[in-house]
Amino acid sequence: TFHEKDYDKILQINSREPETIDLETSLMAQGNVEVWLGKLCTLACRSVRSVIRNASVSLQDPNFNLMEFLAAYPAQVGLLGLQVIWTRDATTALKTARSDKKVMENTNQYFLDILNQLIEKTTEKLNKIQRVKAETLVTIHVHQRDIFDDLVRMHIKTPSDFEWLKQSRFYFNDDTDQTVISITDVNFNYQNEFVGCTERLVITPLTDRCYITIAQALGMSLG
């Protein structure tokens, strides 16, 4: 999005849906196109990371409300937040499972409650973007809930168990100001590329195996 009067000044980035994210600083589209376009790409990623940082702070709020959080942030950041919440709460449950006999079942019910909230959202009157956003959140969280349900049924009680480590796990690292995605023993930095509000395919067991195989290949520099 360009400034209304200063036509060369870029203020926001837009997806095709459209969703918008404000740039941290404005950028002038002047000079060699390859130069200012490169600066725009860098600034766009930095701006997305800033939104994710703010979202991570919101997740720590004692009065945190998931549905309000999802409504307040772009679909991409809302989805990432949901994945961070799932990883955080699942890890906490696994760490305390040996001392607290009910924590796994209680956490599983909590994830089911989240899923029901998301499904209920799809029954409301929504515009096209809101519906795609809601359906995407349901698609991803169905898989997350199924994973944790399997962990409960298999009596997994430690975060070092491979049944947990083989999953895609999402963390926000305050020290490095980066979102980290872990699969088995391989870690990837989230690239902060603005993708807008896009649909997601259903994740199957084969998808999970592909993630593990690709992650291992990249981890061994074979990708």
Side-chain angles (χ1 to χ4, degrees):
T1 302
F2 289 86
H3 192 278
E4 288 184 1
K5 296 181 179 179
D6 195 348
Y7 301 128
D8 289 339
K9 183 182 288 187
I10 305 173
L11 303 176
Q12 297 175 318
I13 49 175
N14 307 297
S15 65
R16 64 179 182 177
E17 287 79 28
E19 278 193 328
T20 63
I21 286 182
D22 293 335
L23 294 176
E24 278 193 325
T25 59
S26 60
L27 178 72
M28 299 303 293
Q30 295 176 343
N32 295 335
V33 64
E34 64 273 15
V35 175
W36 67 259
L37 198 54
K39 290 180 179 179
L40 177 61
C41 290
T42 302
L43 181 58
C45 290
R46 205 166 71 222
S47 300
V48 171
R49 186 168 70 177
S50 177
V51 176
I52 293 173
R53 185 190 310 119
N54 293 336
S56 73
V57 173
S58 299
L59 296 181
Q60 311 304 322
D61 190 334
N63 300 317
F64 175 78
N65 180 290
L66 177 62
M67 302 313 292
E68 291 178 0
F69 169 83
L70 295 175
Y73 286 94
Q76 174 182 356
V77 179
L79 176 59
L80 187 61
L82 181 64
Q83 291 170 309
V84 170
I85 290 169
W86 175 78
T87 303
R88 179 196 67 192
D89 293 349
T91 302
T92 300
L94 288 165
K95 285 181 177 178
T96 57
R98 294 187 185 280
S99 58
D100 187 343
K101 302 300 181 183
K102 293 185 177 181
V103 68
M104 292 294 285
E105 291 183 6
N106 291 341
T107 304
N108 197 30
Q109 182 60 49
Y110 170 65
F111 290 146
L112 180 59
D113 292 342
I114 289 177
L115 179 59
N116 288 332
Q117 287 183 61
L118 296 173
I119 292 172
E120 186 177 346
K121 184 68 177 178
T122 65
T123 65
E124 299 177 6
K125 188 174 182 180
L126 305 172
N127 61 36
K128 185 177 180 180
I129 299 177
Q130 291 171 331
R131 183 157 300 282
V132 170
K133 183 177 180 178
E135 290 175 352
T136 298
L137 291 167
V138 169
T139 299
I140 297 301
H141 194 63
V142 162
H143 181 63
Q144 294 184 156
R145 196 268 168 172
D146 286 346
I147 288 171
F148 197 82
D149 192 51
D150 288 341
L151 296 178
V152 173
R153 289 191 296 102
M154 289 186 287
H155 305 291
I156 306 301
K157 295 185 177 180
T158 171
S160 60
D161 194 290
F162 184 71
E163 291 297 329
W164 170 245
L165 293 179
K166 72 179 185 180
Q167 310 301 335
S168 299
R169 307 176 323 276
F170 296 75
Y171 308 90
F172 186 81
N173 190 321
D174 292 315
D175 295 332
T176 61
D177 195 28
Q178 289 281 1
T179 304
V180 178
I181 305 168
S182 300
I183 304 175
T184 59
D185 59 346
V186 186
N187 299 321
F188 303 95
N189 283 336
Y190 190 75
Q191 295 302 298
N192 303 304
E193 181 181 352
F194 186 43
V195 298
C197 185
T198 57
E199 295 179 342
R200 297 295 184 95
L201 295 175
V202 173
I203 302 174
T204 67
L206 179 59
T207 314
D208 284 331
R209 293 192 196 101
C210 289
Y211 287 164
I212 295 169
T213 304
I214 295 169
Q216 288 294 304
L218 290 171
M220 293 185 286
S221 300
L222 299 175

